[in-house]
Amino acid sequence: MSKFITLSNVSKIFNPGTPLEVDALQDIDLVLDRGEFVVLSGPSGSGKTTLLNLMGGLDRASGGTIRIDGKEITALHEDALCDERRDNIGFIFQAYNLIPVFSAKENIEYVMKLQGRDQPSCDRRVTEVAKKLGIEKLLHKLPSNLSGGQQQRVAVARAVASKPKLILADEPTANLDSVSAGELMDMMEKLNREENITIIFSSHDPMVIGKAKRSVVLKDGKVIKNETVS
């Protein structure tokens, strides 16, 4: 494995200089290798979502540096940061965030269309990913006609279809029953293994946490444990 993500002295302060100031993250130092399958865990308010948002360029750090694949994303201007998110980072949200007027297929190919890929290329990749996730028969359905588990599979397909280097998943199983949650984690583990995509997800669920190959535990905005899981 090779070093892929490096966080150095990263902090995040919300509402700085006001009575509502919150030190959400404090002096985070973290190094992750390419192809890792990582869980961020810890109590509510520990900083898991904030850390994911900073690594994904959805929010800006108050201090420190974040490097992904050698690129310092904390130094990028907004346009460059948008390009980085579009081309190299996939997101999976607990609320699915599918576009309601798009079919499952159109949702899955959406990022590839933004990247300027032609339709035949999109069609091939959608078919490939749909087979891996077992959703071939759902491609022409709207999100409103899919169950929660099916919507989350489509969300995973959308995240991986453009072949990002990194996938960030915030509580991806929070709205799923235990069976669907287990199936989703098995699929993510398979994608991590077969496509060598680095996957970082947050969770409170012991079953989900147990699937990870590296465990990073946060408390009060600090990393209190970082260990490889056998």
Side-chain angles (χ1 to χ4, degrees):
M1 288 188 178
S2 59
K3 188 190 305 182
F4 181 60
I5 298 175
T6 303
L7 287 79
S8 302
N9 203 34
V10 171
S11 64
K12 178 62 181 179
I13 302 173
F14 290 106
N15 307 309
T18 75
L20 299 176
E21 180 174 303
V22 176
D23 288 330
L25 292 174
Q26 304 172 50
D27 306 321
I28 300 291
D29 291 313
L30 188 63
V31 177
L32 301 173
D33 291 331
R34 188 183 305 277
E36 288 211 75
F37 196 58
V38 184
V39 63
L40 305 179
S41 63
S44 295
S46 60
K48 302 184 299 296
T49 297
T50 299
L51 185 54
L52 284 175
N53 288 343
L54 295 186
M55 287 190 285
L58 296 175
D59 201 357
R60 295 279 190 176
S62 302
T65 60
I66 301 173
R67 292 182 179 275
I68 297 178
D69 203 22
K71 184 179 296 183
E72 186 181 338
I73 66 168
T74 38
L76 296 178
H77 294 297
E78 194 57 40
D79 287 348
L81 194 56
C82 286
D83 291 345
E84 181 70 14
R85 289 195 298 263
R86 180 195 66 201
D87 295 337
N88 295 317
I89 303 173
F91 298 92
I92 303 171
F93 304 97
Q94 59 176 290
Y96 316 136
N97 287 11
L98 300 177
I99 300 171
V101 296
F102 281 9
S103 68
K105 179 180 184 295
E106 290 168 330
N107 270 282
I108 295 168
E109 68 187 12
Y110 181 66
V111 175
M112 292 187 288
K113 288 293 188 68
L114 292 178
Q115 293 174 334
R117 300 194 193 185
D118 60 36
Q119 192 61 55
S121 173
C122 290
D123 290 344
R124 287 192 297 271
R125 181 59 176 164
V126 169
T127 299
E128 179 185 7
V129 173
K131 285 182 178 178
K132 285 188 176 183
L133 296 176
I135 55 174
E136 308 101 300
K137 296 181 180 179
L138 307 178
L139 293 178
H140 298 293
K141 292 188 175 184
L142 293 174
S144 59
N145 294 322
L146 301 175
S147 69
Q150 290 171 335
Q151 288 187 60
Q152 193 62 300
R153 288 184 186 219
V154 173
V156 172
R158 179 182 58 187
V160 304
S162 59
K163 295 188 176 182
K165 298 176 182 177
L166 171 65
I167 287 179
L168 301 172
D170 189 15
E171 297 279 0
T173 64
N175 295 322
L176 302 179
D177 60 63
S178 59
V179 173
S180 296
E183 290 175 348
L184 177 66
M185 292 311 301
D186 288 342
M187 286 185 291
M188 289 175 62
E189 190 175 24
K190 181 180 179 182
L191 289 166
N192 164 256
R193 184 176 64 250
E194 293 183 352
E195 304 210 4
N196 198 38
I197 300 172
T198 304
I199 298 179
I200 305 173
F201 55 95
S202 66
S203 186
H204 291 94
D205 187 335
M207 181 278 293
V208 174
I209 293 170
K211 295 281 188 179
K213 300 299 185 291
R214 177 180 293 276
S215 173
V216 177
V217 182
L218 293 112
K219 183 179 181 181
D220 298 328
K222 297 181 179 180
V223 173
I224 61 170
K225 184 184 294 185
N226 175 16
E227 62 184 11
T228 301
V229 181
S230 58

